[in-house]
Short mmCIF file of all heavy atoms in Angstrom, two decimals:
data_model
loop_
_atom_site.label_atom_id
_atom_site.label_comp_id
_atom_site.label_asym_id
_atom_site.label_seq_id
_atom_site.Cartn_x
_atom_site.Cartn_y
_atom_site.Cartn_z
N ALA F 206 92.48 81.56 108.45
CA ALA F 206 92.82 82.66 109.37
C ALA F 206 93.00 82.19 110.77
O ALA F 206 93.69 82.80 111.57
CB ALA F 206 91.76 83.72 109.28
N ASP F 207 92.37 81.09 111.13
CA ASP F 207 92.48 80.54 112.48
C ASP F 207 93.62 79.52 112.62
O ASP F 207 93.82 78.94 113.70
CB ASP F 207 91.18 79.95 112.97
CG ASP F 207 90.71 78.76 112.08
OD1 ASP F 207 91.28 78.54 110.99
OD2 ASP F 207 89.79 78.06 112.57
N SER F 208 94.34 79.29 111.56
CA SER F 208 95.41 78.29 111.60
C SER F 208 96.58 78.75 112.53
O SER F 208 96.75 79.98 112.71
CB SER F 208 96.02 78.05 110.20
OG SER F 208 96.71 79.20 109.76
N PRO F 209 97.33 77.81 113.08
CA PRO F 209 98.48 78.24 113.90
C PRO F 209 99.44 79.10 113.14
O PRO F 209 100.02 80.03 113.70
CB PRO F 209 99.11 76.89 114.32
CG PRO F 209 98.03 75.90 114.19
CD PRO F 209 97.13 76.37 113.10
N GLU F 210 99.58 78.86 111.86
CA GLU F 210 100.53 79.68 111.04
C GLU F 210 100.10 81.08 110.94
O GLU F 210 100.83 82.02 111.10
CB GLU F 210 100.69 79.04 109.62
CG GLU F 210 101.35 77.69 109.67
CD GLU F 210 100.40 76.52 109.90
OE1 GLU F 210 99.20 76.71 110.17
OE2 GLU F 210 100.86 75.37 109.90
N ALA F 211 98.80 81.31 110.61
CA ALA F 211 98.25 82.66 110.50
C ALA F 211 98.29 83.37 111.85
O ALA F 211 98.66 84.57 111.96
CB ALA F 211 96.83 82.65 109.95
N GLN F 212 97.92 82.70 112.90
CA GLN F 212 97.95 83.30 114.20
C GLN F 212 99.34 83.67 114.67
O GLN F 212 99.55 84.65 115.35
CB GLN F 212 97.21 82.39 115.21
CG GLN F 212 95.72 82.33 114.95
CD GLN F 212 95.05 83.68 114.96
OE1 GLN F 212 95.08 84.36 116.00
NE2 GLN F 212 94.52 84.13 113.84
N ALA F 213 100.32 82.84 114.28
CA ALA F 213 101.68 83.16 114.60
C ALA F 213 102.14 84.44 113.87
O ALA F 213 102.87 85.26 114.42
CB ALA F 213 102.62 81.98 114.21
N CYS F 214 101.69 84.61 112.66
CA CYS F 214 101.97 85.82 111.89
C CYS F 214 101.37 87.08 112.57
O CYS F 214 102.03 88.11 112.68
CB CYS F 214 101.44 85.78 110.47
SG CYS F 214 102.32 84.62 109.41
N VAL F 215 100.13 86.93 113.02
CA VAL F 215 99.50 88.02 113.75
C VAL F 215 100.28 88.36 115.01
O VAL F 215 100.50 89.53 115.34
CB VAL F 215 98.02 87.72 114.08
CG1 VAL F 215 97.44 88.85 114.94
CG2 VAL F 215 97.22 87.56 112.81
N LYS F 216 100.68 87.34 115.73
CA LYS F 216 101.42 87.55 116.96
C LYS F 216 102.75 88.27 116.68
O LYS F 216 103.10 89.19 117.43
CB LYS F 216 101.68 86.21 117.65
CG LYS F 216 102.29 86.33 119.01
CD LYS F 216 102.40 84.98 119.69
CE LYS F 216 103.01 85.10 121.05
NZ LYS F 216 103.18 83.80 121.73
N ARG F 217 103.44 87.91 115.63
CA ARG F 217 104.67 88.61 115.24
C ARG F 217 104.42 90.07 114.83
O ARG F 217 105.15 90.97 115.19
CB ARG F 217 105.43 87.85 114.13
CG ARG F 217 106.12 86.59 114.63
CD ARG F 217 107.07 86.00 113.57
NE ARG F 217 106.46 85.77 112.29
CZ ARG F 217 105.80 84.66 111.94
NH1 ARG F 217 105.72 83.63 112.79
NH2 ARG F 217 105.30 84.47 110.74
N TRP F 218 103.35 90.24 114.06
CA TRP F 218 102.94 91.59 113.63
C TRP F 218 102.67 92.49 114.84
O TRP F 218 103.10 93.59 114.91
CB TRP F 218 101.72 91.47 112.68
CG TRP F 218 101.04 92.74 112.33
CD1 TRP F 218 101.47 93.68 111.47
CD2 TRP F 218 99.72 93.17 112.78
NE1 TRP F 218 100.51 94.73 111.38
CE2 TRP F 218 99.45 94.40 112.16
CE3 TRP F 218 98.80 92.58 113.61
CZ2 TRP F 218 98.26 95.08 112.35
CZ3 TRP F 218 97.61 93.26 113.83
CH2 TRP F 218 97.36 94.49 113.20
N ARG F 219 101.89 91.91 115.75
CA ARG F 219 101.54 92.63 116.98
C ARG F 219 102.81 92.98 117.81
O ARG F 219 102.96 94.08 118.30
CB ARG F 219 100.57 91.79 117.80
CG ARG F 219 100.28 92.23 119.23
CD ARG F 219 99.75 93.67 119.27
NE ARG F 219 99.85 94.16 120.62
CZ ARG F 219 100.93 94.76 121.14
NH1 ARG F 219 102.01 94.96 120.47
NH2 ARG F 219 100.88 95.18 122.38
N ALA F 220 103.72 92.03 117.96
CA ALA F 220 104.93 92.25 118.70
C ALA F 220 105.81 93.31 118.05
O ALA F 220 106.46 94.14 118.71
CB ALA F 220 105.71 90.97 118.89
N HIS F 221 105.83 93.35 116.73
CA HIS F 221 106.64 94.29 115.95
C HIS F 221 106.18 95.73 116.24
O HIS F 221 106.95 96.68 116.28
CB HIS F 221 106.56 94.03 114.44
CG HIS F 221 107.31 94.97 113.63
ND1 HIS F 221 108.66 95.04 113.53
CD2 HIS F 221 106.87 96.02 112.85
CE1 HIS F 221 109.04 96.01 112.74
NE2 HIS F 221 107.96 96.61 112.32
N MET F 222 104.85 95.88 116.40
CA MET F 222 104.34 97.21 116.71
C MET F 222 104.85 97.85 117.98
O MET F 222 104.91 99.06 118.11
CB MET F 222 102.80 97.17 116.80
CG MET F 222 102.16 97.27 115.45
SD MET F 222 100.43 97.41 115.69
CE MET F 222 99.96 95.88 114.84
N ASP F 223 105.31 97.02 118.89
CA ASP F 223 105.86 97.57 120.18
C ASP F 223 107.04 98.45 119.93
O ASP F 223 107.40 99.25 120.85
CB ASP F 223 106.21 96.43 121.13
CG ASP F 223 105.04 95.84 121.84
OD1 ASP F 223 103.99 96.53 121.95
OD2 ASP F 223 105.10 94.69 122.24
N TYR F 224 107.68 98.42 118.80
CA TYR F 224 108.78 99.31 118.47
C TYR F 224 108.27 100.74 118.30
O TYR F 224 109.07 101.70 118.45
CB TYR F 224 109.52 98.88 117.20
CG TYR F 224 110.32 97.64 117.38
CD1 TYR F 224 109.92 96.45 116.83
CD2 TYR F 224 111.54 97.65 118.11
CE1 TYR F 224 110.68 95.28 116.99
CE2 TYR F 224 112.26 96.50 118.29
CZ TYR F 224 111.83 95.33 117.71
OH TYR F 224 112.60 94.16 117.87
N PHE F 225 107.01 100.88 117.94
CA PHE F 225 106.40 102.18 117.62
C PHE F 225 105.29 102.59 118.54
O PHE F 225 105.14 103.78 118.87
CB PHE F 225 105.84 102.17 116.20
CG PHE F 225 106.82 101.57 115.20
CD1 PHE F 225 106.65 100.28 114.76
CD2 PHE F 225 107.87 102.33 114.72
CE1 PHE F 225 107.52 99.73 113.86
CE2 PHE F 225 108.77 101.75 113.83
CZ PHE F 225 108.56 100.46 113.36
N TRP F 226 104.46 101.62 118.94
CA TRP F 226 103.22 101.91 119.62
C TRP F 226 102.66 100.59 120.17
O TRP F 226 102.77 99.59 119.54
CB TRP F 226 102.26 102.51 118.59
CG TRP F 226 100.83 102.66 118.93
CD1 TRP F 226 100.27 103.27 120.03
CD2 TRP F 226 99.69 102.15 118.16
NE1 TRP F 226 98.91 103.19 119.94
CE2 TRP F 226 98.54 102.51 118.83
CE3 TRP F 226 99.61 101.48 116.96
CZ2 TRP F 226 97.27 102.21 118.33
CZ3 TRP F 226 98.35 101.15 116.45
CH2 TRP F 226 97.19 101.53 117.14
N THR F 227 102.01 100.66 121.33
CA THR F 227 101.45 99.46 121.91
C THR F 227 99.91 99.59 121.90
O THR F 227 99.34 100.23 122.81
CB THR F 227 101.98 99.18 123.32
OG1 THR F 227 103.39 99.10 123.26
CG2 THR F 227 101.40 97.90 123.90
N PRO F 228 99.25 99.09 120.87
CA PRO F 228 97.80 99.24 120.79
C PRO F 228 97.06 98.29 121.70
O PRO F 228 97.59 97.18 121.99
CB PRO F 228 97.49 98.91 119.30
CG PRO F 228 98.57 97.91 118.92
CD PRO F 228 99.79 98.36 119.71
N ASN F 229 95.86 98.67 122.17
CA ASN F 229 95.06 97.77 122.87
C ASN F 229 94.35 96.84 121.86
O ASN F 229 94.52 97.03 120.63
CB ASN F 229 94.09 98.44 123.82
CG ASN F 229 93.04 99.30 123.13
OD1 ASN F 229 92.54 98.95 122.01
ND2 ASN F 229 92.69 100.48 123.67
N LEU F 230 93.59 95.90 122.32
CA LEU F 230 92.99 94.94 121.37
C LEU F 230 92.04 95.55 120.42
O LEU F 230 92.01 95.19 119.22
CB LEU F 230 92.30 93.81 122.17
CG LEU F 230 93.23 92.87 122.95
CD1 LEU F 230 92.45 91.90 123.82
CD2 LEU F 230 94.18 92.12 122.01
N ASP F 231 91.25 96.56 120.85
CA ASP F 231 90.34 97.23 119.95
C ASP F 231 91.07 98.01 118.90
O ASP F 231 90.68 98.08 117.73
CB ASP F 231 89.35 98.11 120.71
CG ASP F 231 88.38 97.31 121.60
OD1 ASP F 231 88.05 96.19 121.23
OD2 ASP F 231 87.98 97.87 122.66
N GLN F 232 92.13 98.66 119.27
CA GLN F 232 92.93 99.43 118.34
C GLN F 232 93.60 98.50 117.31
O GLN F 232 93.71 98.80 116.13
CB GLN F 232 94.00 100.26 119.08
CG GLN F 232 93.42 101.36 119.90
CD GLN F 232 94.41 101.98 120.82
OE1 GLN F 232 95.32 101.33 121.37
NE2 GLN F 232 94.27 103.30 121.10
N LEU F 233 94.04 97.37 117.82
CA LEU F 233 94.69 96.37 116.95
C LEU F 233 93.67 95.91 115.83
O LEU F 233 94.05 95.90 114.64
CB LEU F 233 95.13 95.18 117.77
CG LEU F 233 96.04 94.18 117.08
CD1 LEU F 233 97.43 94.85 116.87
CD2 LEU F 233 96.23 92.96 117.98
N LEU F 234 92.44 95.59 116.23
CA LEU F 234 91.44 95.22 115.29
C LEU F 234 91.08 96.39 114.33
O LEU F 234 90.92 96.19 113.14
CB LEU F 234 90.22 94.69 115.98
CG LEU F 234 89.09 94.18 115.10
CD1 LEU F 234 89.58 93.08 114.13
CD2 LEU F 234 87.93 93.62 115.93
N GLY F 235 91.03 97.57 114.89
CA GLY F 235 90.77 98.77 114.06
C GLY F 235 91.83 98.95 112.99
O GLY F 235 91.51 99.31 111.85
N LEU F 236 93.05 98.73 113.36
CA LEU F 236 94.16 98.88 112.41
C LEU F 236 94.03 97.87 111.25
O LEU F 236 94.11 98.18 110.07
CB LEU F 236 95.50 98.73 113.10
CG LEU F 236 96.74 98.92 112.22
CD1 LEU F 236 96.79 100.24 111.54
CD2 LEU F 236 97.98 98.68 113.06
N ALA F 237 93.78 96.62 111.67
CA ALA F 237 93.59 95.55 110.64
C ALA F 237 92.41 95.82 109.76
O ALA F 237 92.43 95.57 108.56
CB ALA F 237 93.47 94.19 111.33
N THR F 238 91.33 96.36 110.33
CA THR F 238 90.14 96.71 109.56
C THR F 238 90.48 97.84 108.54
O THR F 238 90.07 97.78 107.38
CB THR F 238 88.99 97.12 110.47
OG1 THR F 238 88.70 95.98 111.32
CG2 THR F 238 87.76 97.50 109.69
N MET F 239 91.26 98.80 109.00
CA MET F 239 91.64 99.92 108.13
C MET F 239 92.44 99.44 106.93
O MET F 239 92.36 100.00 105.85
CB MET F 239 92.44 100.93 108.92
CG MET F 239 92.78 102.15 108.10
SD MET F 239 93.83 103.32 109.03
CE MET F 239 95.32 102.42 109.29
N TYR F 240 93.20 98.38 107.07
CA TYR F 240 93.98 97.85 105.96
C TYR F 240 93.09 97.50 104.76
O TYR F 240 93.52 97.62 103.62
CB TYR F 240 94.73 96.56 106.38
CG TYR F 240 95.89 96.79 107.31
CD1 TYR F 240 96.46 95.72 107.96
CD2 TYR F 240 96.45 98.03 107.50
CE1 TYR F 240 97.57 95.89 108.81
CE2 TYR F 240 97.53 98.22 108.36
CZ TYR F 240 98.03 97.14 109.01
OH TYR F 240 99.15 97.30 109.84
N GLY F 241 91.87 97.08 105.01
CA GLY F 241 90.95 96.81 103.91
C GLY F 241 90.06 97.93 103.48
O GLY F 241 89.48 97.89 102.46
N GLU F 242 89.91 98.96 104.36
CA GLU F 242 89.04 100.05 104.06
C GLU F 242 89.71 101.33 103.54
O GLU F 242 89.13 102.06 102.79
CB GLU F 242 88.25 100.44 105.32
CG GLU F 242 87.27 99.29 105.77
CD GLU F 242 86.54 99.58 107.05
OE1 GLU F 242 86.84 100.64 107.70
OE2 GLU F 242 85.66 98.80 107.38
N SER F 243 90.97 101.52 103.89
CA SER F 243 91.71 102.69 103.44
C SER F 243 92.19 102.38 102.00
O SER F 243 92.92 101.36 101.85
CB SER F 243 92.91 102.98 104.36
OG SER F 243 93.79 103.86 103.73
N PRO F 244 91.93 103.24 101.05
CA PRO F 244 92.38 102.95 99.66
C PRO F 244 93.90 102.77 99.59
O PRO F 244 94.40 101.95 98.82
CB PRO F 244 91.90 104.15 98.90
CG PRO F 244 90.76 104.72 99.64
CD PRO F 244 91.06 104.39 101.09
N ASP F 245 94.65 103.60 100.33
CA ASP F 245 96.12 103.50 100.28
C ASP F 245 96.62 102.20 100.85
O ASP F 245 97.45 101.50 100.25
CB ASP F 245 96.79 104.70 101.02
CG ASP F 245 96.54 106.00 100.33
OD1 ASP F 245 96.29 106.05 99.08
OD2 ASP F 245 96.53 107.04 101.02
N PHE F 246 96.15 101.82 102.05
CA PHE F 246 96.57 100.55 102.64
C PHE F 246 96.11 99.38 101.77
O PHE F 246 96.84 98.47 101.50
CB PHE F 246 95.98 100.39 104.06
CG PHE F 246 96.80 101.06 105.11
CD1 PHE F 246 96.35 102.17 105.79
CD2 PHE F 246 98.01 100.59 105.49
CE1 PHE F 246 97.06 102.76 106.77
CE2 PHE F 246 98.80 101.16 106.45
CZ PHE F 246 98.30 102.29 107.11
N LYS F 247 94.86 99.44 101.32
CA LYS F 247 94.31 98.32 100.50
C LYS F 247 95.13 98.13 99.25
O LYS F 247 95.43 97.00 98.86
CB LYS F 247 92.86 98.54 100.17
CG LYS F 247 92.23 97.36 99.47
CD LYS F 247 90.80 97.24 99.62
CE LYS F 247 90.12 96.12 98.88
NZ LYS F 247 90.86 94.91 98.64
N ALA F 248 95.55 99.22 98.60
CA ALA F 248 96.36 99.12 97.41
C ALA F 248 97.69 98.38 97.66
O ALA F 248 98.14 97.59 96.87
CB ALA F 248 96.61 100.49 96.80
N ASN F 249 98.29 98.68 98.80
CA ASN F 249 99.55 98.05 99.17
C ASN F 249 99.31 96.56 99.42
O ASN F 249 100.11 95.72 98.96
CB ASN F 249 100.16 98.68 100.41
CG ASN F 249 100.76 100.04 100.15
OD1 ASN F 249 101.20 100.32 99.07
ND2 ASN F 249 100.74 100.88 101.18
N PHE F 250 98.25 96.19 100.12
CA PHE F 250 97.93 94.79 100.35
C PHE F 250 97.56 94.07 99.08
O PHE F 250 97.99 92.94 98.84
CB PHE F 250 96.83 94.66 101.42
CG PHE F 250 97.36 94.76 102.81
CD1 PHE F 250 97.67 95.99 103.40
CD2 PHE F 250 97.57 93.65 103.59
CE1 PHE F 250 98.15 96.10 104.66
CE2 PHE F 250 98.08 93.74 104.90
CZ PHE F 250 98.34 94.99 105.45
N ASP F 251 96.75 94.72 98.23
CA ASP F 251 96.31 94.15 96.98
C ASP F 251 97.52 93.86 96.04
O ASP F 251 97.47 92.90 95.29
CB ASP F 251 95.32 95.06 96.26
CG ASP F 251 93.93 95.00 96.87
OD1 ASP F 251 93.68 94.17 97.76
OD2 ASP F 251 93.08 95.84 96.47
N ALA F 252 98.53 94.67 96.14
CA ALA F 252 99.71 94.46 95.28
C ALA F 252 100.43 93.16 95.66
O ALA F 252 101.08 92.55 94.82
CB ALA F 252 100.69 95.67 95.46
N MET F 253 100.29 92.74 96.91
CA MET F 253 100.87 91.50 97.37
C MET F 253 99.97 90.31 97.11
O MET F 253 100.43 89.26 96.67
CB MET F 253 101.27 91.59 98.83
CG MET F 253 102.34 92.58 99.16
SD MET F 253 102.73 92.66 100.88
CE MET F 253 101.59 93.96 101.40
N HIS F 254 98.69 90.49 97.36
CA HIS F 254 97.68 89.45 97.12
C HIS F 254 96.30 90.07 97.24
O HIS F 254 96.06 90.81 98.23
CB HIS F 254 97.80 88.32 98.18
CG HIS F 254 96.97 87.11 97.88
ND1 HIS F 254 95.62 87.11 98.04
CD2 HIS F 254 97.29 85.90 97.40
CE1 HIS F 254 95.14 85.91 97.67
NE2 HIS F 254 96.15 85.16 97.29
N PRO F 255 95.39 89.81 96.30
CA PRO F 255 94.12 90.53 96.31
C PRO F 255 93.19 90.24 97.52
O PRO F 255 92.29 90.98 97.81
CB PRO F 255 93.42 90.08 95.00
CG PRO F 255 94.11 88.83 94.60
CD PRO F 255 95.55 88.92 95.17
N ASP F 256 93.46 89.16 98.23
CA ASP F 256 92.68 88.82 99.42
C ASP F 256 93.36 89.05 100.76
O ASP F 256 92.82 88.75 101.79
CB ASP F 256 92.24 87.33 99.33
CG ASP F 256 91.36 87.07 98.14
OD1 ASP F 256 90.53 87.92 97.78
OD2 ASP F 256 91.54 85.97 97.54
N LEU F 257 94.55 89.61 100.64
CA LEU F 257 95.39 89.74 101.88
C LEU F 257 94.79 90.66 102.93
O LEU F 257 94.80 90.30 104.09
CB LEU F 257 96.80 90.17 101.52
CG LEU F 257 97.79 90.33 102.69
CD1 LEU F 257 97.92 89.02 103.45
CD2 LEU F 257 99.14 90.81 102.15
N ALA F 258 94.27 91.81 102.54
CA ALA F 258 93.72 92.74 103.56
C ALA F 258 92.54 92.10 104.30
O ALA F 258 92.49 92.18 105.52
CB ALA F 258 93.30 94.03 102.87
N ASP F 259 91.64 91.46 103.58
CA ASP F 259 90.52 90.81 104.24
C ASP F 259 90.97 89.62 105.11
O ASP F 259 90.47 89.45 106.24
CB ASP F 259 89.52 90.31 103.20
CG ASP F 259 88.77 91.46 102.53
OD1 ASP F 259 88.65 92.54 103.15
OD2 ASP F 259 88.28 91.25 101.42
N PHE F 260 91.94 88.88 104.64
CA PHE F 260 92.46 87.78 105.45
C PHE F 260 93.14 88.28 106.71
O PHE F 260 92.94 87.70 107.79
CB PHE F 260 93.45 86.93 104.60
CG PHE F 260 93.92 85.72 105.27
CD1 PHE F 260 93.17 84.55 105.34
CD2 PHE F 260 95.16 85.71 105.97
CE1 PHE F 260 93.63 83.43 105.97
CE2 PHE F 260 95.63 84.60 106.61
CZ PHE F 260 94.87 83.43 106.62
N MET F 261 93.89 89.37 106.58
CA MET F 261 94.54 89.96 107.75
C MET F 261 93.54 90.36 108.78
O MET F 261 93.67 90.08 109.93
CB MET F 261 95.44 91.11 107.29
CG MET F 261 96.22 91.77 108.39
SD MET F 261 97.56 90.72 108.89
CE MET F 261 98.40 91.81 110.02
#
Side-chain angles (χ1 to χ4, degrees):
D207 62 346
S208 69
E210 294 84 356
Q212 291 303 298
C214 289
V215 174
K216 188 175 181 181
R217 285 192 306 272
W218 169 73
R219 169 58 195 86
H221 178 75
M222 275 187 243
D223 281 336
Y224 289 107
F225 313 100
W226 166 55
T227 302
N229 65 38
L230 292 174
D231 291 330
Q232 292 168 328
L233 194 68
L234 183 55
L236 181 59
T238 299
M239 184 181 66
Y240 288 165
E242 293 177 355
S243 165
D245 293 334
F246 276 110
K247 185 154 176 33
N249 286 332
F250 278 78
D251 285 352
M253 293 180 271
H254 189 286
D256 298 322
L257 181 57
D259 289 335
F260 184 82
M261 182 73 175

